[in-house]
Amino acid sequence: MKRIALVTGHFPPSNLVGGQRARLWSQYLPEFGWEPIIVTGDPAMYEERPDPDLALLVPKGLRVIHAPTYSNKPIRLVGDIGVRAFMGTYRVLADLARSGQIDFVIITIPSNFLACVGRLIHRRFGIPFGIDYIDPWVHRWPGVEKVFSRAWGAHHLGNVLEPWAVQGISLVTGMSLGYVQGMLDRNPEVARTAVVAAMPMGGSPEEFEIVRGLHRPPFLFKQGDGRINLIYAGALLPRGLTVLDTFLSGLGVLRDKAPRLAERICAHFVGTGTAPDDPRGHQVLPRAERLGVAQMINEHPHRIGYVDALNHLINSDGILVLGSTEPHYTPSKVFQGILSRRPIFGMLHEASTAVDMVRRARAGTVLTVTETQLPTAAATAEGLRSLLEDNTYDPGSVDWSAFQSYTARESTRSMVDALERAYAQSRVARAA
């Protein structure tokens, strides 16, 4: 069995997305002939609140190496774990490569800075490497135009570091091709020589069964209280705020047209604040107040644990999936929503693969958006009303075969298909 080092700045007990990608891949990699070794930062040095329950979902026997990580105390000079764990990660990988314990290295980004460690290991030991784009690296996020701002600095630093980090790369993967296309356009040699593949985060039915077996009551709402409890769990993207406003406006129209239905709705927004651990960093509630629908909203701005998030999805009456006006955005929460066996109400870009996924699986209702056009508030209200008044939703009627290709197992299979090709090409290149 070949061995792959999965490098990620965060891993359980952190619930950040990079750690989840590595955790899900490591769950299934041995089925496809690769033994995973996780190389990550020291959890004692994480800034984010830990989620000890995630240990329940980490594959038994998985080898996890915590690289030495600089502390950001007592003075916080650098917060990014990729910077603070960079040298420690390099030394761990160098030891693994020197002793012949790894055949491939793949780095999940963010943290973007860690991407550079792949090329360093490749140059010194000849180990082929890849980068997995959970988000685009060089991207014009709102705020990059403000000179000397944090966003401006990150954007310009990325323009310098990314071309260096991808030189000699064997494998480029991403949540969707849109996440990597900009890099390929800027680096035509990489587009010509590297294996490129996209695969979603995917959902794991096994972890939902584990959570169901815990029999935990939700703490954001009380079951059987007569309310229709809808859940949105996850961060808000800057280009998703207009989608959020359309949803909130739709609630207002629904309140006017179907007041008895509307008065029962409580839309819970979890982890949507300005910072992961700030209980006062509300973003949804102020917008709901301006639109006059605050009584239908409950915002829990800071993150809750991943296991608790899954538990709330399972015990809700419906899942909200509000996407972005960016065409490449494919929210991973779609997979969790379907596996929660609750109906989905989505507002997603028409080019998002999640639109076809939900519709083919008959897992709920999706309204589409584009960069320039959003559904009307009336159309949003009607979509919500249709979903909530339709009592025919039955998890047994969901076409699970339509969803099969979006599971974490199939995502891992797709990654391994690309990995095998990249590994074979690198061996040919080294022998030439």
Side-chain angles (χ1 to χ4, degrees), residues 199-352:
M199 64 287 302
M201 178 76 72
S204 170
E206 293 86 352
E207 66 186 24
F208 273 83
E209 292 309 309
I210 292 172
V211 174
R212 285 189 177 93
L214 299 176
H215 302 293
R216 288 184 182 177
F219 57 80
L220 292 177
F221 53 83
K222 184 178 180 180
Q223 290 177 290
D225 61 2
R227 303 297 298 271
I228 300 173
N229 292 294
L230 307 176
I231 295 285
Y232 175 97
L236 292 172
L237 293 179
R239 295 186 184 177
L241 293 176
T242 54
V243 179
L244 169 64
D245 287 341
T246 301
F247 171 76
L248 296 174
S249 298
L251 287 181
V253 173
L254 185 63
R255 179 196 55 206
D256 296 336
K257 291 188 174 182
R260 289 188 178 181
L261 174 65
E263 69 182 6
R264 296 176 56 211
I265 294 174
C266 185
H268 303 268
F269 287 83
V270 183
T272 50
T274 54
D277 297 320
D278 183 1
R280 294 178 295 276
H282 298 83
Q283 291 197 95
V284 178
L285 198 56
R287 307 176 90 89
E289 289 171 345
R290 288 198 297 271
L291 293 167
V293 293
Q295 72 278 11
M296 304 168 73
I297 299 297
N298 174 37
E299 185 178 14
H300 188 285
H302 50 299
R303 287 193 184 102
I304 64 176
Y306 182 73
V307 171
D308 279 328
L310 297 189
N311 189 53
H312 279 79
L313 296 180
I314 291 168
N315 289 288
S316 71
D317 297 298
I319 312 298
L320 298 176
V321 183
L322 308 181
S324 166
T325 55
E326 294 177 284
H328 60 69
Y329 176 59
T330 300
S332 58
K333 59 180 68 71
V334 171
F335 312 115
Q336 280 77 23
I338 293 177
L339 288 173
S340 72
R341 304 175 76 87
R342 309 308 304 147
I344 288 173
F345 179 79
M347 299 178 69
L348 299 164
H349 194 283
E350 64 180 12
S352 171

Side-chain angles (χ1 to χ4, degrees), residues 51 90 111 125 127 155 199 238 251 285-286 289 304 352 362:
D51 181 9
Y90 173 77
S111 165
F125 300 99
I127 303 292
H155 177 73
M199 64 287 302
L251 287 181
L285 198 56
E289 289 171 345
I304 64 176
S352 171
R362 300 192 296 275

Side-chain angles (χ1 to χ4, degrees), residues 4 35 73 127 130 146 158 184 219 227 231 236 286 293 305 354 369 377 392 410 423:
I4 181 171
E35 176 188 343
K73 296 178 181 179
I127 303 292
K146 186 177 180 181
L184 297 174
F219 57 80
R227 303 297 298 271
I231 295 285
L236 292 172
V293 293
V369 307
T392 62
E410 290 305 309
Y423 182 65

Side-chain angles (χ1 to χ4, degrees), residues 62-115:
L62 176 66
R63 185 180 178 188
V64 179
I65 303 175
H66 296 116
T69 304
Y70 292 113
S71 174
N72 58 2
K73 296 178 181 179
I75 300 175
R76 186 180 188 270
L77 297 176
V78 177
D80 194 297
I81 193 72
V83 176
R84 294 187 288 121
F86 188 90
M87 287 306 302
T89 299
Y90 173 77
R91 293 189 182 107
V92 168
L93 290 172
D95 288 343
L96 292 172
R98 190 180 298 111
S99 57
Q101 295 185 60
I102 52 174
D103 301 288
F104 207 97
V105 173
I106 188 165
I107 305 104
T108 64
I109 64 170
S111 165
N112 300 330
F113 298 105
L114 275 177

Side-chain angles (χ1 to χ4, degrees), residues 117-158:
V117 80
R119 185 184 176 195
L120 292 175
I121 293 298
H122 174 66
R123 291 177 66 182
R124 182 174 177 184
F125 300 99
I127 303 292
F129 74 101
I131 299 174
D132 177 51
Y133 282 73
I134 295 174
D135 279 319
W137 185 348
V138 178
H139 191 55
R140 297 196 68 82
W141 295 106
V144 299
E145 297 83 5
K146 186 177 180 181
V147 178
F148 300 124
S149 67
R150 181 178 177 182
W152 178 89
H155 177 73
H156 285 273
L157 187 57

